[in-house]
């Protein structure tokens, strides 16, 4: 094996988890992965170029590869384009970058013409469907491009007062948070909830998301958030020194973002990074969150429902409603030696004259004067032989100055 392949072997091995096409052995699959990846790696040119699209041929792939500045150059033009043309280009890019799979041949030609890029042919000694399978090709190709995602949930955890700690205390707190993430993940695995989660550090916390997409994947991420916060709360109870465990504030939101793979050494990273509107919103939300508070951003987006096979429009209130039924399957799970009897999660509000609880919507003004709409969330975990774990802040505990109530939407019979 060439020296460059030897250095990249562990990175390439990550693709071996994909099922091989029928009749293809492991050794041949590995060799085919290397052949395709080497071709894409050469075109990528250490990150100078991006893969914008691909389509299978009888014995290879046609690909659209161009320098990465093409993204903004195409979207913005030279400053002389009329608004209608800029809108058309933005829609084309959004559609192109949202695509997770290959382009059909006719669509591929239209995109290449619109971008004014001459397609390249990657010749392979096998038919793509038979030698690798289109899902595996899509996974390999994704490492060399940028993808737009509209419907994925993301969590942001932030350690309160982190910057005031010594570097050693900061390391201990981040390690404590990592342990809580791992413990929560293990709890869900016990119930066969296998979240393919990813995380990146913010310096004083983590962004966490589910690599899978759709309603179920987002609900599972919300469950993960609940158990991370629960484990953190229990760790605070056990700690002999309070500064060894972070006091957290958490934000959950669904929104658009770009997913990309940075260069690490001479390779694209095996894990992705996120940047976009959802991370911007989360950063603004966390800046205004109180210690111990859980905020849910206001969203309204299409998500794929695996049960029906259709895309359904879901807003923040619908989503939290959908998280309740799956929580019942977690009853009996053990936390700190005590079985869970019930997990109640809800968005807070005020009680009306009939005894129903409303849901308050708040607005946050950021440093740029932009308004962000959020909800305050509570999670109550009742244990059979242990004290309840109360996560989040009650509405009456929120300072009047942090967020002003702007609406009292639908009423729900929630438990305070």
């Amino acid at each position: 094996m060439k020296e460059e392949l030897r250095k990249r072997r562990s990175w390439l091995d990550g693709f071996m988890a994909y099922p091989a096409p029928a009749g293809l052995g492991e050794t041949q699959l590995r060799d085919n992965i290397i052949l395709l990846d080497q071709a894409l790696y050469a075109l990528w040119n250490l990150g100078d170029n991006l893969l914008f699209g691909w389509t299978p041929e009888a014995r290879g792939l046609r690909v659209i590869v161009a320098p990465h500045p093409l993204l903004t150059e195409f979207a913005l033009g030279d400053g002389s384009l009329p608004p209608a043309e800029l809108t058309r280009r933005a829609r084309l890019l959004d559609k192109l970058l949202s695509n997770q799979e290959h382009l059909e041949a006719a669509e591929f030609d239209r995109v290449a013409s619109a971008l004014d890029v001459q397609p390249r042919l990657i010749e392979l000694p096998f038919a793509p469907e038979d030698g690798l399978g289109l899902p595996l090709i899509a996974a390999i190709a994704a490492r060399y491009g940028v993808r737009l995602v509209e419907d994925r949930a993301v969590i942001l955890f932030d350690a309160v007062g982190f910057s005031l700690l010594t570097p050693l205390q900061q390391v201990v707190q981040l390690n404590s948070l990592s342990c809580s993430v791992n413990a929560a993940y293990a709890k869900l695995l016990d119930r066969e909830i296998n979240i393919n989660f990813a995380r990146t550090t913010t310096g004083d916390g983590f962004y966490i998301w589910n690599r899978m997409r759709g309603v179920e994947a987002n609900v599972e991420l919300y469950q993960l958030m609940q158990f991370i916060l629960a484990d953190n709360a229990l760790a605070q109870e056990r700690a002999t020194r309070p500064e060894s465990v972070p006091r957290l504030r958490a934000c959950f939101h669904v929104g658009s973002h770009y997913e990309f793979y940075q260069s690490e050494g001479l390779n694209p990273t095996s894990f992705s990074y996120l940047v976009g509107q959802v991370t911007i919103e989360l950063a603004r939300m966390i800046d205004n969150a109180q210690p111990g508070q859980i905020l849910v951003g206001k969203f309204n987006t299409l998500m794929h429902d695996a049960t029906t096979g259709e895309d359904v429009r879901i807003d923040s209130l619908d989503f939290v409603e959908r998280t309740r039924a799956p929580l019942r399957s977690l009853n009996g799970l053990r936390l700190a030696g005590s079985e869970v009897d019930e997990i109640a999660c809800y968005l807070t509000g005020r009680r009306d004259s009939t005894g129903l609880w409303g849901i308050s919507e708040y607005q946050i003004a950021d440093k740029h004067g932009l308004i962000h709409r959020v909800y305050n969330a509570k999670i109550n975990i009742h244990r059979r032989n242990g004290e309840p774990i109360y996560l989040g802040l009650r509405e009456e505990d929120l300072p009047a100055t942090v967020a002003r109530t702007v609406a009292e939407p639908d009423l729900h019979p929630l438990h305070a």
Side-chain angles (χ1 to χ4, degrees), residues 315-387:
D315 63 20
S316 307
L317 278 61
D318 299 328
F319 179 80
V320 174
E321 275 295 313
R322 284 174 175 260
T323 66
R324 293 185 191 170
L327 287 176
R328 298 190 189 101
S329 67
L330 300 176
N331 292 346
L333 186 148
R334 300 183 71 83
L335 284 177
S338 297
E339 289 188 1
V340 171
D341 269 342
E342 181 189 20
I343 302 175
C345 66
Y346 55 91
L347 303 178
T348 68
R350 299 192 179 111
R351 179 179 276 172
D352 71 357
S353 58
T354 67
L356 290 174
W357 289 87
I359 297 176
S360 296
E361 182 182 306
Y362 299 89
Q363 66 178 22
I364 293 172
D366 65 22
K367 60 185 179 182
H368 304 294
L370 300 176
I371 299 299
H372 307 272
R373 300 296 174 90
V374 299
Y375 302 97
N376 180 62
K378 279 285 281 116
I379 300 163
N380 301 334
I381 302 176
H382 299 279
R383 296 182 292 166
R384 187 163 303 166
N385 300 311
E387 291 296 317

Side-chain angles (χ1 to χ4, degrees), residues 237-259:
E237 290 180 2
R238 297 190 301 264
T240 55
R241 296 186 64 89
E243 69 274 11
S244 64
V245 179
R247 188 177 184 194
L248 298 176
R249 47 189 177 179
C251 295
F252 181 97
H253 197 29
V254 178
S256 66
H257 57 269
Y258 294 97
E259 184 176 16

